[in-house]
Structures are given as C-alpha cells and as structure tokens.
Amino acid sequence: MHYDLKHLSTFVAVAEELNFHRAAERLGIAQPAVSRLVQELEDRLGVRLLERTTRKVLLTETGRYLLEEAQDVLDRLDVAESTVRLLASGTKAILRIGYTTITGHSLVPKIAREFRLENPEVRLELTYLTSPVQRDRILQDEIDLGFIEGSFLSSEIESRAVARHSLVALLPPDHPLTAKEALTVADLAREALILGTNAEWPTFRRIVIDMFQNHGQVLTVGQEASSLTGILGLVTAGVGITVFCGMPSFCGPQVLAVRPIATDTPTEVETHLAWRRSNLTAAMRRFVETSQRVGADYRSIV
C-alpha cells in the first residue's frame, strides 16, 4: 500500500468537484493525470472510491469516509507548513521562560501582558525557578530565557539588565517600628527576620546578608519559609518582619506596612534577562526588547 500526498490531494479535488475536468483545472495538471492518480489510489487501497458514469461522478461510502479523513490530513499539513514558516520568521513561537519570586509578583506579569498584546501568535510558557537553576536550564536548552537576580558572566550566556528593585522592610501594621518613616540596618539587626530558605532564595539572601555586613551588622533569622506567601503569612501573623523588593502588588497597607531602608547607598536588586548567546531567535529578541521597555518604567511598589 504505497501512495503519497499527491494521490490524496488529487482524490480530494475530484471528490469535492465531482468532476475530473474541473479537478484538473484546479490542480493545474492534465485530466489524464488526474484519472491515473485516482485509479492508482484505488488500486493500492484495494477499494472503489468513486462511481463513474459518462454523465457524473459519485462518491462511494468508502470514498466519503476517505474524503473526510484526507481533508483533515491536508488541513493539518497546511497549518503545519504555515506554522513552520512563521516559526522561521519569528512571528510564531513558543518561548520557555523562567522567573523568580522577586520578578514573578509584578514585573513578569506586566512584561508578559505587554508582549502578548504585541505578539499574540507567540505562546509563553512561564516556570518558577531559582536564579542558579535558571542558569543551568539555559545552558541545557531547557528554557529559552530567564529572569535572574544579578548578572551572570559566561561565554555562553548573554544577559541584559531589565529592572532594579529597592530593598524595603515589610512589617505588621501594628509593629512599633512603623512609627519611624524609614528604618536603618541597625533597626533591622535588632529584629529576628523572616527570610526565604536558602534552597529557594539563594541569591536574594546573599544580597540581604551583604547589606547587613556592609553596615557592620549581624542578621538574625527568626523564621524561614520557602515561598513569598509563607513569608508574608508569618509577617501578617505578627511573627516578625521581613525584607523584600517593595510591596507585593497583591498586598495593601491594611495587611502590611512598608518602610524604606535608609542606607548610604541604596541597596538594590538588579534583575537581568538571560539567554544562551547562540540561541537568540527573532521572537526572543522581541521579548528582550519588550522586557527592557517595560522594566525601564517599572518601579517596585513602595
């Protein structure tokens, strides 16, 4: 049973037109060739697909079934061919993107919304991953782009800074420190902080610890939680205070109080968008451009 797409497309043309002459004109080939291809298909399938008389052409029951199936096959091939061309041009694609907790609560949603409005044919697959894991996944070609904290020096990875986030203190609204308009690192050192676990927040913890050390203070961790929801839940319960990049967009002053941290030089967390240097497609380039544009206007909510 050997036949190809030419046999199927020829049969579909005849079946839809129910006329060999019109089918030949539609296909742009000679009528004898149309008759031969349909006959070959019938011979190779071992069934009769068409009833032919001198006046008309009719589909057999088997022919009607094959017509539906063949139309579906050819339609899927048309879609696949169109998609391949769009993928090659960067108009249609699937972008696998990693993000961290810091970028996931407001920055990445803003970028994703803006990019989808401008590129509706590109599907985004967003996955939470820590910064170190993202770097590995990029090198292993398991994600295309990653929002990471800080830059990453590598001959294989390229990155662009897209946003800066100032560190602030988040407190229960009735905490005594809310009486101050700004907190010092010394104020924070007298409190047992709630921080993310080292497994889930390795880069951010390093930034916070460095801020304390640069001001001659020792950080005391009172509680740990793996997720932002867990951290904020402990803060709102009055267990302690935490340090984060602005007020999360889903919170408000009735839930949390936010205070800037007064330092000689503002401590900021810089978000970079990273990708494998040899793997920058047209769709990825547009995503980088959108991220830089949205990130330039982005400010952590304080």
Side-chain angles (χ1 to χ4, degrees):
M1 188 186 298
H2 298 291
Y3 54 90
D4 53 32
L5 291 176
K6 182 178 287 188
H7 290 93
L8 283 181
S9 60
T10 301
F11 165 70
V12 168
V14 174
E16 289 177 345
E17 298 290 344
L18 292 178
N19 184 288
F20 279 84
H21 178 70
R22 287 196 300 270
E25 290 183 338
R26 171 174 153 182
L27 295 169
I29 60 178
Q31 184 172 329
V34 172
S35 299
R36 177 179 56 79
L37 287 166
V38 172
Q39 186 64 57
E40 286 178 357
L41 180 61
E42 289 180 321
D43 292 343
R44 292 171 189 182
L45 289 174
V47 298
R48 182 167 293 280
L49 302 171
L50 301 169
E51 294 291 349
R52 308 163 178 83
T53 69
T54 55
R55 294 184 177 181
K56 57 185 178 180
V57 176
L58 298 174
L59 284 166
T60 65
E61 183 178 353
T62 305
R64 285 193 294 273
Y65 173 79
L66 182 60
L67 174 61
E68 292 180 5
E69 295 296 322
Q71 286 171 327
D72 188 46
V73 168
L74 295 174
D75 286 345
R76 290 204 304 271
L77 284 172
D78 285 341
V79 171
E81 181 180 332
S82 175
T83 301
V84 166
R85 289 198 178 101
L86 290 171
L87 284 169
S89 67
T91 305
K92 183 179 182 69
I94 299 172
L95 294 183
R96 304 162 299 171
I97 300 168
Y99 66 91
T100 61
T101 298
I102 290 172
T103 59
H105 74 93
S106 57
L107 175 62
V108 169
K110 289 180 180 179
I111 292 171
R113 181 170 58 249
E114 185 74 15
F115 182 79
R116 282 171 171 151
L117 288 173
E118 298 172 350
N119 303 270
E121 293 299 312
V122 181
R123 191 171 86 220
L124 302 181
E125 294 181 352
L126 302 169
T127 305
Y128 164 77
L129 299 166
T130 64
S131 292
V133 171
Q134 286 190 54
R135 293 162 184 161
D136 293 339
R137 298 284 179 88
I138 290 170
L139 289 171
Q140 295 162 5
D141 196 30
E142 294 179 3
I143 62 173
D144 302 304
L145 297 142
F147 287 94
I148 63 175
E149 275 80 64
S151 59
F152 181 54
L153 299 177
S154 169
S155 59
E156 295 185 62
I157 290 181
E158 190 168 350
S159 65
R160 294 283 187 277
V162 297
R164 294 178 184 274
H165 322 264
S166 296
L167 289 185
V168 298
L170 299 178
L171 313 86
D174 58 353
H175 194 283
L177 285 177
T178 58
K180 302 184 68 171
E181 292 187 2
L183 305 183
T184 65
V185 178
D187 291 330
L188 299 176
R190 288 189 285 271
E191 300 287 329
L193 295 188
I194 300 168
L195 290 183
T197 61
N198 195 54
E200 294 296 326
W201 298 67
T203 307
F204 184 74
R205 279 179 69 118
R206 182 72 261 165
I207 293 169
V208 174
I209 291 170
D210 286 347
M211 180 182 70
F212 273 72
Q213 291 179 344
N214 291 339
H215 290 80
Q217 301 293 334
V218 177
L219 181 152
T220 301
V221 179
Q223 293 284 338
E224 293 183 326
S226 59
S227 69
L228 180 60
T229 302
I231 293 170
L232 299 182
L234 291 170
V235 174
T236 57
V239 175
I241 68 177
T242 192
V243 175
F244 193 58
C245 299
M247 175 75 86
S249 57
F250 52 84
C251 296
Q254 71 279 8
V255 177
L256 290 172
V258 57
R259 293 294 182 271
I261 302 172
T263 56
D264 296 334
T265 303
T267 301
E268 295 181 324
V269 179
E270 191 172 65
T271 292
H272 285 244
L273 185 58
W275 62 91
R276 192 164 187 169
R277 193 180 300 275
S278 60
N279 193 37
L280 185 62
T281 65
M284 290 169 63
R285 185 179 297 107
R286 293 199 302 277
F287 188 86
V288 173
E289 291 169 354
T290 300
S291 299
Q292 290 185 292
R293 185 177 70 252
V294 174
D297 296 330
Y298 174 82
R299 297 293 182 270
S300 296
I301 301 172
V302 178

